[in-house]
Amino acid sequence: TLFRVGQEALVVAENQTGAIHVDFEITVHDSTFSMRVQADGAASLPEEGSRGDMALGFLRHRLEAIGGSVTVSHPGHSGIRLIAEVHLDEISATDPQAVGILEVGR
């Protein structure tokens, strides 16, 4: 699930900004998994029905299915920043959506 979240975040960043440079960072701190994707280029939210809008929808759906969240912002005057977070201690080991996720925080 988190791998797919990363893929969708990169699709949104690429398609929405025409980015030349993308920063991708993953951290785990106090049982919270965070993924930050920041891209330069033009800042705009995905247009409804666009590939970026669908990717953002898939991203939100995947995260909400495991109790996570995503925020999208525009730092400065250009680019886009996506931050996805999942609280690992709230994920059930028996949840089929969570297979492989709990190993990240160990």
Side-chain angles (χ1 to χ4, degrees):
T1 296
L2 295 176
F3 176 77
R4 296 289 185 217
V5 166
Q7 283 182 315
E8 298 298 342
L10 290 171
V11 167
V12 171
E14 177 186 19
N15 290 338
Q16 292 312 120
T17 66
I20 294 172
H21 186 261
V22 176
D23 288 327
F24 188 90
E25 177 182 65
I26 295 174
T27 59
V28 178
H29 181 70
D30 292 335
S31 296
T32 299
F33 172 91
S34 296
M35 179 184 306
R36 181 186 60 85
V37 177
Q38 185 164 332
D40 63 4
S44 65
L45 289 175
E47 291 184 29
E48 190 171 333
S50 70
R51 184 172 179 215
D53 182 50
M54 291 187 332
L56 188 55
F58 290 141
L59 180 84
R60 281 197 170 103
H61 175 76
R62 289 181 191 278
L63 285 165
E64 289 172 359
I66 57 173
S69 64
V70 63
T71 57
V72 181
S73 63
H74 305 290
H77 296 288
S78 65
I80 191 169
R81 178 185 299 146
L82 287 112
I83 299 176
E85 292 188 332
V86 177
H87 300 285
L88 299 175
D89 55 354
E90 295 177 13
I91 297 174
S92 168
T94 60
D95 183 349
Q97 293 284 329
V99 173
I101 292 175
L102 295 176
E103 294 303 314
V104 171
R106 296 187 201 274

